[in-house]
Amino acid sequence: MTTVAIVGCTHAGTFAATSILAEHPDWTVHVFERNGTLSFLSCGIALWVGDHVSDPKKMFYSSPESLAQAGATMHMRTDVTSIDVEGHTLTYRPVDAGEDAPTETLEFDKLVVTTGSRPVIPPIPGIDSRHVLLCKNWDHAIAIKEKAREARSAVVIGSGYIGAEIAEQFSLTGVATTLVDGLDRPLANNFDKQITDQVAAAFEEHGVTLALGQKVTAFRDNDDDTVTVVTEKGEYTAEMAILAVGFLPNTDLLKGQVDMLPNGAIVVDDYMRASAPDVYACGDSATVFYNPTGRHDYIPLATNAVRQGLLVGRNIETPTVKYMGTQATSAVQLYDLSLAASGLTKAGAERRGLTVRETELTEDYRPDFMLTTTPVTSILTWDPETRKVKGGQFCSKADISGAANVISMAIQAGFTIDQLANVDFLFQPNFDKPVYYVGAVAMKAAAEA
Ligand SMILES: Cc1cc2nc3c(=O)[nH]c(=O)nc-3n(C[C@H](O)[C@H](O)[C@H](O)COP(=O)(O)OP(=O)(O)OC[C@H]3O[C@@H](n4cnc5c(N)ncnc54)[C@H](O)[C@@H]3O)c2cc1C
């Protein structure tokens, strides 16, 4: 009888457990999770703050009971305290028992590391203020929701997807909001300036103070129950501060035992195998194969966690189904702007030492004879040598999310700009013009090349 230990159970752990049990119903699968819940969709936090969630319980798609019913041995509110990869053992103890309590030991045949990621907490003076909240798990969600019921002012630190979404929802619920970032544009790591200028304008129209191009240097608690966020350029006082400056892999337990990227992400092969025998990793604790560069990368997204988790079940006995890699396809809605992207931006390519070209096209998404239409900004990133598609960004008041999925498939399939320009895209005036804007930007790129 094979015994599997799964450490961590949000998305990667939940999908790994269900896929292993589906493939091997006779195996013993132990699941360890330090929280009392599993499968929490953190993407719902900002929506819940803005009262767009029908029932917060629906932000979980699985439960300890359903995994137990599927055959798993569940250890909820249990911390795995050490892992000996070579000896095939781990130790654990209930969270509530306290750090001095004795641990128990489990021997495993196979280990699945799904310990995910933790929010980056920079060593800034005063950051442990009780007014500074994190935004990652269910407990954080409750803390933010409770604070947001009363608080009328907030400083959000970090203008990536998570910070931008929460700042948007605060501003829509009457909270005076300041968005701080060291970079000089919101969503600067996700979109080019032509698009982020539209985002900045939307924030300003909704009264959000943009404090960009300035790093936080200190947090100071005040007597009137507020916190002052001190930056290189100013001071911003509010009833709460939300820290959303990125994530790091939660892999300290494996340090020195398996190969990792410098940031601690466990390097996995096409079958989710780590460098040591019988060890698998997936989700935010692991690397992804990033197709636009053909290299391992760290891109913490639920999309990757789910797909990688499913593959563990298929591959844990015999390597069978290869991971197809990722394009980091993602989207965000801010006010009436839909934003979606897949693959590299020019800045992202430069950060990775690659040369790319970009083609931009702004045009209405459907014909002018329709009673309404609206512009779409499309930016296509492509390799000037091979003409291969490397990325795409879209922004519009129309729903353009599907366009990022099209680019994702084009990158995955190794399409050139010429091939993308010739794809059989539908035309119907409710949806698009005779030349769909994805095809149109590809045609423009091909003409420029
Ligand atoms: C606010 C927010 C919004 C997001 N929105 C999106 C989105 O719209 N689309 C998208 O694709 N992605 C989104 N993401 C990213 C997505 O949530 C993560 O990529 C995903 O949660 C990764 O899942 P995971 O299971 O790998 O890791 P995690 O979610 O980090 O889960 C790891 C689990 O392991 C447990 N654990 C860790 N160490 C131990 C231990 N020693 N013992 C026991 N248990 C342990 C933790 O308690 C945790 O439950 C968002 C993230 C946030 C924070």
Side-chain angles (χ1 to χ4, degrees):
M1 170 85 80
T2 302
T3 299
V4 182
I6 299 179
V7 186
C9 197
T10 299
H11 303 309
T14 301
F15 278 87
T18 46
S19 66
I20 293 168
L21 287 162
E23 298 283 332
H24 307 285
D26 55 325
W27 285 14
T28 301
V29 176
H30 289 266
V31 177
F32 298 89
E33 170 52 54
R34 65 161 63 116
N35 290 324
T37 56
L38 53 84
S39 80
F40 176 59
L41 288 160
S42 353
C43 48
I45 298 177
L47 292 165
W48 191 33
V49 165
D51 288 331
H52 300 291
V53 166
S54 58
D55 174 357
K57 290 193 203 99
K58 293 184 180 169
M59 294 198 282
F60 300 87
Y61 56 83
S62 186
S63 64
E65 295 73 32
S66 47
L67 286 192
Q69 213 164 10
T73 305
M74 301 302 294
H75 304 263
M76 297 303 293
R77 289 199 59 74
T78 303
D79 237 329
V80 169
T81 48
S82 71
I83 298 175
D84 175 357
V85 164
E86 212 181 309
H88 283 58
T89 58
L90 60 75
T91 59
Y92 62 96
R93 82 174 144 235
V95 173
D96 299 324
E99 292 200 354
D100 297 329
T103 56
E104 290 187 56
T105 302
L106 177 84
E107 281 181 32
F108 55 79
D109 299 301
K110 291 176 186 285
L111 172 72
V112 181
V113 184
T114 42
T115 44
S117 61
R118 58 175 186 275
V120 171
I121 305 177
I124 298 172
I127 200 160
D128 54 354
S129 158
R130 67 191 174 86
H131 300 298
V132 178
L133 306 179
L134 303 174
C135 182
K136 160 90 181 164
N137 60 31
W138 174 233
D139 290 343
H140 300 150
I142 294 171
I144 295 174
K145 180 74 178 167
E146 273 175 11
K147 192 93 181 176
R149 270 191 239 281
E150 310 264 295
R152 294 295 85 201
S153 55
V155 179
V156 178
I157 300 136
S159 72
Y161 275 178
I162 292 165
E165 281 180 329
I166 203 116
E168 180 221 19
Q169 290 302 327
F170 282 154
S171 70
L172 290 172
T173 50
V175 175
T177 307
T178 303
L179 183 57
V180 178
D181 202 300
L183 300 174
D184 61 358
R185 297 182 288 119
L187 301 180
N189 286 329
N190 307 89
F191 296 95
D192 286 351
K193 189 170 178 333
Q194 301 92 309
I195 289 179
T196 59
D197 280 353
Q198 299 175 51
V199 174
F203 274 126
E204 278 164 353
E205 271 165 35
H206 288 84
V208 174
T209 303
L210 293 178
L212 303 172
Q214 46 195 293
K215 287 195 182 125
V216 176
T217 54
F219 294 88
R220 203 175 54 231
D221 276 344
N222 304 311
D223 293 341
D224 61 352
D225 235 15
T226 59
V227 61
T228 298
V229 180
V230 184
T231 75
E232 293 159 331
K233 292 188 185 164
E235 296 197 355
Y236 309 93
T237 298
E239 288 155 83
M240 62 176 153
I242 310 288
L243 193 66
V245 294
F247 294 92
L248 278 173
N250 230 344
T251 53
D252 290 352
L253 293 175
L254 278 297
K255 223 161 230 160
Q257 304 192 72
V258 291
D259 291 347
M260 295 179 180
L261 292 185
N263 77 344
I266 298 171
V267 177
V268 290
D269 68 7
D270 289 343
Y271 300 101
M272 302 300 107
R273 294 178 296 195
S275 58
D278 300 321
V279 182
Y280 298 76
C282 54
D284 282 13
S285 59
T287 55
V288 291
F289 189 78
Y290 189 43
N291 287 320
T293 59
R295 295 182 208 148
H296 290 290
D297 214 317
Y298 185 63
I299 303 175
L301 280 173
T303 50
N304 299 330
V306 167
R307 288 185 302 122
Q308 290 187 324
L310 283 169
L311 283 180
V312 171
R314 302 298 303 278
N315 294 318
I316 196 160
E317 188 172 40
T318 317
T320 310
V321 183
K322 274 193 181 184
Y323 175 49
M324 287 169 65
T326 181
Q327 284 73 246
T329 312
S330 58
V332 65
Q333 176 82 29
L334 295 171
Y335 308 107
D336 56 0
L337 287 181
S338 294
L339 301 123
S342 184
L344 289 167
T345 60
K346 196 162 188 212
E350 278 164 7
R351 273 201 303 278
R352 293 168 171 91
L354 300 173
T355 305
V356 291
R357 273 186 71 179
E358 278 193 342
T359 301
E360 184 197 337
L361 179 69
T362 298
E363 61 172 29
D364 285 352
Y365 80 105
R366 63 183 186 180
D368 293 344
F369 71 73
M370 296 297 287
L371 297 180
T372 60
T373 185
T374 191
V376 179
T377 304
S378 307
I379 302 174
L380 191 66
T381 308
W382 46 281
D383 182 328
E385 266 180 38
T386 62
R387 299 169 79 97
K388 282 194 174 173
V389 177
K390 292 290 170 185
Q393 308 159 55
F394 302 89
C395 174
S396 178
K397 289 180 182 168
D399 175 4
I400 42 66
S401 52
N405 286 332
V406 169
I407 297 295
S408 179
M409 285 193 68
I411 301 171
Q412 183 94 57
F415 267 25
T416 60
I417 47 177
D418 314 280
Q419 287 171 307
L420 184 61
N422 278 305
V423 168
D424 172 30
F425 294 121
L426 68 85
F427 162 52
Q428 208 284 332
N430 283 293
F431 304 105
D432 66 348
K433 299 215 271 194
V435 180
Y436 174 43
Y437 49 87
V438 177
V441 73
M443 284 177 194
K444 189 174 176 198
E448 284 174 4

